[in-house]
Amino acid sequence: MDVSFLGGPVPQRGIGVVAPFDFALDRELWRWVPDDVSLHLTRTPFVPVEVSLDLARLVSEHETLREAVRALTAVSPEVVAYACTSGSFVSGVAGERAMKGAMEQAGELPALTTSGALLDALVELGAQRIAVVTPYTRSVTDALEEYLSEAGVQVCGRSYLGLTREIWRVPYRDVVDMAREAVADAPDALFISCTNLPTYDVIPQLEAELRMPVISANQVTMWSALRSIGKTAVGPYQALLDPVARRGPASLAAEAPAVAVEPMPLAAEAPPAVPEEEV
């Protein structure tokens, strides 16, 4: 059959993504992306180190990021995102800005990081007091809190799993349990950290139950990257992305009296969680 009349594939906008070597959620990133945008992913070189502050520093060395960005320029993305939360907050606010600058210099194009996108998302939501949920050990979670504090954001509650490997296997149920524990002090928003932690389906359900905006590492990364090229992330009923959701359940906490909220049924869960490591 002659298909030449179709005229070729639909033109695509391009976003480059630099991810750590152990990143396992490519498909989750794609769920936030509209059909006319392509993601071009590359990974940092393997290092035999478990998830820790040491690993965060290794995967975010400037030369590592520069080499990854140079590789991505072969397919001419319009922006490059470093999709790693701990790697982009481990050196503080100044360190995040330096990483962004190194990437922009290497590719001669705009760049962003997950932790920088997080701060932009909090400004977008007007959130200054937040709760955080992480799969990390205590030391890595402490470093996230220090980064946020340096940026003028107060962490008023937190919960973490203490994992050092296979974070992508954590089920939604564990994420929900941590979220419920972390928000006891009525924060403005909840942040779920780590780009290797599945969150897409659980965000709207947590917003409906907790009555506050819920944002995650992969969500803010894709939101920021797409916004930088004039596109909108795809995420129904997620307050950061959907104005209707922002006017709905996520905005009701300050207006409604405190009542017990019946949890909504969860979407299909990810594979079983790995055992929690010693902190």
Side-chain angles (χ1 to χ4, degrees):
M1 181 176 71
D2 183 7
V3 295
S4 60
F5 69 92
L6 295 176
V10 176
Q12 294 281 297
R13 309 285 295 276
I15 293 175
V17 178
V18 179
F21 66 89
D22 63 345
F23 180 70
L25 299 181
D26 302 54
R27 176 61 189 142
E28 174 156 298
L29 288 185
W30 277 97
R31 296 181 71 183
W32 274 289
V33 178
D35 289 342
D36 61 345
V37 176
S38 284
L39 297 181
H40 309 299
L41 280 89
T42 190
R43 282 168 168 75
T44 62
F46 171 78
V47 290
V49 178
E50 292 185 323
V51 177
S52 61
L53 291 175
D54 287 340
L55 178 62
R57 295 184 184 100
L58 286 170
V59 296
S60 60
E61 291 178 346
H62 286 192
E63 190 52 38
T64 296
L65 297 178
R66 289 191 191 99
E67 290 180 5
V69 171
R70 291 187 194 109
L72 287 169
T73 58
V75 291
S76 302
E78 296 178 56
V79 62
V80 173
Y82 178 40
C84 181
T85 326
S86 61
S88 53
F89 69 59
V90 68
S91 298
V93 171
E96 187 278 331
R97 291 173 181 160
M99 290 175 206
K100 180 175 177 288
M103 294 168 67
E104 289 177 337
Q105 183 181 42
E108 297 184 351
L109 77 170
L112 61 100
T113 75
T114 297
S115 294
L118 165 61
L119 298 183
D120 290 341
L122 293 176
V123 170
E124 177 77 9
L125 294 169
Q128 296 180 316
R129 295 175 67 256
I130 71 168
V132 298
V133 163
T134 89
Y136 311 134
T137 61
R138 179 174 179 174
S139 60
V140 182
T141 305
D142 286 347
L144 170 59
E145 185 169 349
E146 290 165 9
Y147 170 80
L148 289 166
S149 177
E150 185 183 354
V153 178
Q154 178 187 356
V155 175
C156 60
R158 70 183 201 176
S159 183
Y160 58 94
L161 287 176
L163 300 181
T164 60
R165 57 190 175 87
E166 297 187 345
I167 289 169
W168 66 89
R169 297 188 187 278
V170 174
Y172 284 148
R173 176 66 64 186
D174 289 1
V175 176
V176 170
D177 288 345
M178 285 193 294
R180 291 171 180 157
E181 177 184 342
V183 299
D185 198 25
D188 299 329
L190 170 70
F191 173 57
I192 306 172
S193 191
C194 190
T195 55
N196 230 359
L197 187 67
T199 59
Y200 187 93
D201 294 307
V202 81
I203 290 172
Q205 298 184 60
L206 277 174
E207 288 188 342
E209 178 182 336
L210 303 177
R211 299 294 194 258
M212 68 182 64
V214 175
I215 57 178
S216 76
N218 282 329
Q219 181 206 45
V220 299
T221 305
M222 289 296 95
W223 166 79
S224 181
L226 286 160
R227 187 173 70 158
S228 73
I229 64 171
K231 302 295 293 185
T232 302
V234 179
Y237 310 112
Q238 298 180 21
L240 179 63
L241 317 179
D242 185 348
V244 174
R246 202 175 301 184
R247 294 193 301 268
S251 69
L252 297 179
E255 303 171 10
V259 295
V261 179
E262 188 68 24
M264 295 181 64
L266 288 175
E269 295 188 351
V274 294
E276 183 172 330
E277 300 291 333
E278 290 296 323
V279 178

